[in-house]
Amino acid sequence: MKHSLRIKHIDWYLFTTFMQLFCATFFICLFIVVMQFLWLHLNDFVGKGLPMDVMLEFFFYSSLTSVPLALPLAILLASLMTFGNLGESLELLAMKSAGISLFRIMRSLTIFIAMVCIGAFFFSNNVIPYAQKKMWTLMFSIRQKSPELEIPVGEFYSGINGLNIYVRDRDNRTGLLKNLMIYDFTNGFDNASVTTADSAYIKLTADKLNLKLTLYNGEAFENLNKQQVGRGNIPYRRETFTEKELLIDFDANFNRMDESLMSNQHISKDIVRLTHDIDSVNQVRDSLRVGFSHELTTGKYFSQSYSERELAKLAEQPQQPTLLIDADSLFETLPQEKMEAVVRQAVTRAQSVMNDVEYKRAIVGEADDFFIRHDVEWHRKFTLSFACLIFFFIGAPLGAIVRKGGLGMPVVVSVVFFVIYYIIDTTGQKMAREGLWDVWQGMWLSSAVLLPIGIFLTYKAATDSALFNADAYKLFFGRIKQTMRHTLLQLKNKSSKRTPHAI
């Protein structure tokens, strides 16, 4: 009974120690992954003047979509640090000395990681599609938003559609623009208009749908190319004003894109919808391939086309012996004009066949692309959960072997393993998306590479192997060096004894 109670204390101790490290490493890894994602799309946010609630919403949904990258890394780092700390403080050695095996020590954490894998699957199946739909809807809405109005000094500003504005100087205190030139190309380059002014004010209307330009002491020139009255004469209109107001369309509001446009994308579907769409498009793709292949091989392109009645008549007629015709000799007997006509007709026919083949291949290619994207997303639902389990059985035994805790060695080893996993996983996905490999081969490539490593490390840790013990390697190479030295000494002694006898 006491032994059972002690085991429960060990399970609780390991679980609480692991959870503290896991929560800390998970949020750190998630923050790093989200920052890396935002850095890649930084140009879409700069100068847009987005509201804070939109930024927080985008940050929240991008955090949810980044969990598949952060969760395996956090499990690897936390398990490595947990068992590394136990090994460094000799607690792991004390447990083994008490007759507790490594698998028994890992039991509570193994059960927890199994629950995490199941939860990761449901999270990937139910939460991530919804989060990705929300996030990419916000992303496309942000990209379509007009940039915040900020006209620079000394260079042309083209942030307003159809207009180029040049300002020589500006009063930063009052916002007055000085020596202003406006080039308006909204009616085309041939009908452009130019407006100059000594000073001007620009501000948004209350509804943020228009720009109000108040110009002072200037002139306007308009090219009336559409009203050309004579050959070589292009009239224009000139206007001189003391004060003039212009109203320009400029939607500065943040307008959300319709979320229904993303509902049919593969990233917004759960496993049930993915399975249904994969089966549907697979049937369509197979029928297209069979139909197009039959048309090309039995149609008018590669064989003579006959109707059903003509085929029946041909079947009733006795078969005639096949005549071999030399096409080149027959072609050379034609006159020059006929030869050129035949060549042109053959080229036109070949080009028509090629265009038809390219069109049909594009149709089949769209079906293939739809199938591959959905199949990749289907396998991704499972690879996330399996990656969590693999990284635990890499980190826990590796920490027990290395016996180094803290943030030094565990972080380095975790980053190395995660970079290897990320490179292999990205390569496999690329091969699958390009159709070079089967989808299941590309998506499970990283798991197939890392799973044997996890099994090997677990075996070495369970048998108390000195895999990463530097002293063991020094002793091993020292013995090899001593053996080689002893062998060389024996050979030298033998050669010295043989020399006088030979003389």
Side-chain angles (χ1 to χ4, degrees), residues 431-449:
M431 293 295 184
R433 287 175 179 171
E434 293 181 356
L436 301 177
W437 292 354
D438 291 337
V439 174
W440 67 270
Q441 293 176 345
M443 295 302 297
W444 291 95
L445 176 64
S446 57
S447 300
V449 173

Side-chain angles (χ1 to χ4, degrees), residues 69 170 191 201 225 257 274 276 321:
L69 284 177
R170 177 174 54 198
N191 300 306
Y201 285 104
N225 190 33
M257 190 180 71
L274 288 171
H276 176 269

Side-chain angles (χ1 to χ4, degrees), residues 38-72:
L38 294 178
W39 180 260
L40 292 177
H41 300 277
L42 184 63
N43 293 332
D44 297 325
F45 298 90
V46 175
K48 295 295 182 70
L50 297 171
M52 183 57 65
D53 59 337
V54 174
M55 292 297 298
L56 292 176
E57 184 180 359
F58 182 82
F59 186 82
F60 173 72
Y61 288 123
S62 61
S63 300
L64 293 179
T65 58
S66 301
V67 168
L69 284 177
L71 185 60

Side-chain angles (χ1 to χ4, degrees), residues 188-389:
F189 185 80
D190 294 335
N191 300 306
S193 62
V194 182
T195 303
T196 61
D198 292 340
S199 58
Y201 285 104
I202 299 181
K203 65 178 181 179
L204 285 169
T205 57
D207 56 3
K208 294 185 178 181
L209 296 177
N210 297 281
L211 280 178
K212 182 180 179 182
L213 276 72
T214 305
L215 308 174
Y216 302 98
N217 301 323
E219 294 180 332
F221 302 88
E222 182 179 0
N223 185 357
L224 303 178
N225 190 33
K226 293 182 179 180
Q227 302 178 14
Q228 183 173 349
V229 295
R231 180 175 299 178
N233 296 322
I234 302 177
Y236 69 92
R237 181 174 63 85
R238 177 179 179 181
E239 175 188 2
T240 303
F241 57 86
T242 304
E243 180 178 349
K244 182 178 181 180
E245 291 186 352
L246 298 177
L247 198 64
I248 302 173
D249 293 335
F250 186 81
D251 190 357
N253 293 311
F254 176 73
N255 301 314
R256 290 178 180 267
M257 190 180 71
D258 189 6
E259 293 183 2
S260 61
L261 299 177
M262 297 295 298
S263 299
N264 198 37
Q265 297 296 321
H266 61 282
I267 58 174
S268 304
K269 298 177 182 179
D270 57 11
I271 197 166
V272 176
R273 291 187 61 193
L274 288 171
T275 304
H276 176 269
D277 292 345
I278 287 172
D279 293 339
S280 300
V281 75
N282 197 24
Q283 294 177 0
V284 173
R285 184 179 62 166
D286 292 341
S287 63
L288 288 175
R289 286 177 174 175
V290 171
F292 292 158
S293 300
H294 180 74
E295 181 180 350
L296 288 174
T297 55
T298 63
K300 60 183 179 180
Y301 299 127
F302 298 105
S303 63
Q304 184 65 36
S305 179
Y306 296 98
S307 63
E308 294 183 359
R309 182 177 299 178
E310 291 173 340
L311 289 174
K313 291 182 179 180
L314 289 174
E316 295 175 356
Q317 296 177 359
Q319 295 186 358
Q320 301 294 332
T322 304
L323 297 177
L324 297 179
I325 301 176
D326 189 352
D328 294 335
S329 301
L330 184 62
F331 178 75
E332 292 175 355
T333 60
L334 297 175
Q336 183 66 27
E337 295 181 356
K338 286 285 186 179
M339 293 174 64
E340 294 177 356
V342 168
V343 169
R344 286 194 299 268
Q345 184 179 3
V347 170
T348 303
R349 183 179 177 84
Q351 189 64 42
S352 175
V353 173
M354 177 60 74
N355 293 336
D356 195 18
V357 171
E358 291 293 334
Y359 173 73
K360 289 178 170 58
R361 187 171 66 176
I363 295 176
V364 177
E366 290 180 359
D368 287 338
D369 184 64
F370 185 90
F371 173 82
I372 291 174
R373 284 187 283 110
H374 282 67
D375 203 14
V376 166
E377 195 66 26
W378 188 91
H379 284 278
R380 200 195 305 274
K381 307 293 184 185
F382 299 93
T383 54
L384 168 62
S385 302
F386 198 65
C388 296
L389 188 64

Side-chain angles (χ1 to χ4, degrees), residues 41-234:
H41 300 277
L42 184 63
N43 293 332
D44 297 325
F45 298 90
V46 175
K48 295 295 182 70
L50 297 171
M52 183 57 65
D53 59 337
V54 174
M55 292 297 298
L56 292 176
E57 184 180 359
F58 182 82
F59 186 82
F60 173 72
Y61 288 123
S62 61
S63 300
L64 293 179
T65 58
S66 301
V67 168
L69 284 177
L71 185 60
L73 179 59
I75 291 176
L76 174 63
L77 185 57
S79 59
L80 186 57
M81 291 176 64
T82 299
F83 284 86
N85 291 332
L86 292 176
E88 189 175 19
S89 61
L90 301 181
E91 292 178 285
L92 191 61
L93 180 62
M95 295 177 189
K96 290 183 177 180
S97 300
I100 306 174
S101 65
L102 179 64
F103 294 106
R104 179 62 188 85
I105 296 171
M106 296 169 55
R107 186 178 69 176
S108 60
L109 297 183
T110 304
I111 295 174
F112 173 72
I113 294 299
M115 296 173 62
V116 169
C117 293
I118 297 173
F121 171 76
F122 285 101
F123 183 87
S124 178
N125 186 49
N126 299 314
V127 178
I128 288 184
Y130 176 79
Q132 285 186 331
K133 181 176 69 173
K134 290 285 188 178
M135 185 195 71
W136 288 109
T137 300
L138 281 175
M139 175 63 74
F140 291 129
S141 302
I142 291 171
R143 289 176 179 175
Q144 293 176 359
K145 185 185 180 302
S146 300
E148 194 174 24
L149 185 64
E150 185 65 28
I151 299 178
V153 175
E155 58 183 272
F156 282 96
Y157 175 75
S158 58
I160 305 173
N161 292 333
L163 297 181
N164 281 341
I165 301 177
Y166 183 85
V167 177
R168 292 186 182 275
D169 195 9
R170 177 174 54 198
D171 189 342
N172 294 325
R173 185 176 62 86
T174 61
L176 181 67
L177 304 177
K178 301 178 181 179
N179 295 327
L180 182 76
M181 289 188 296
I182 302 175
Y183 295 85
D184 187 356
F185 299 105
T186 54
N187 295 324
F189 185 80
D190 294 335
N191 300 306
S193 62
V194 182
T195 303
T196 61
D198 292 340
S199 58
Y201 285 104
I202 299 181
K203 65 178 181 179
L204 285 169
T205 57
D207 56 3
K208 294 185 178 181
L209 296 177
N210 297 281
L211 280 178
K212 182 180 179 182
L213 276 72
T214 305
L215 308 174
Y216 302 98
N217 301 323
E219 294 180 332
F221 302 88
E222 182 179 0
N223 185 357
L224 303 178
N225 190 33
K226 293 182 179 180
Q227 302 178 14
Q228 183 173 349
V229 295
R231 180 175 299 178
N233 296 322
I234 302 177

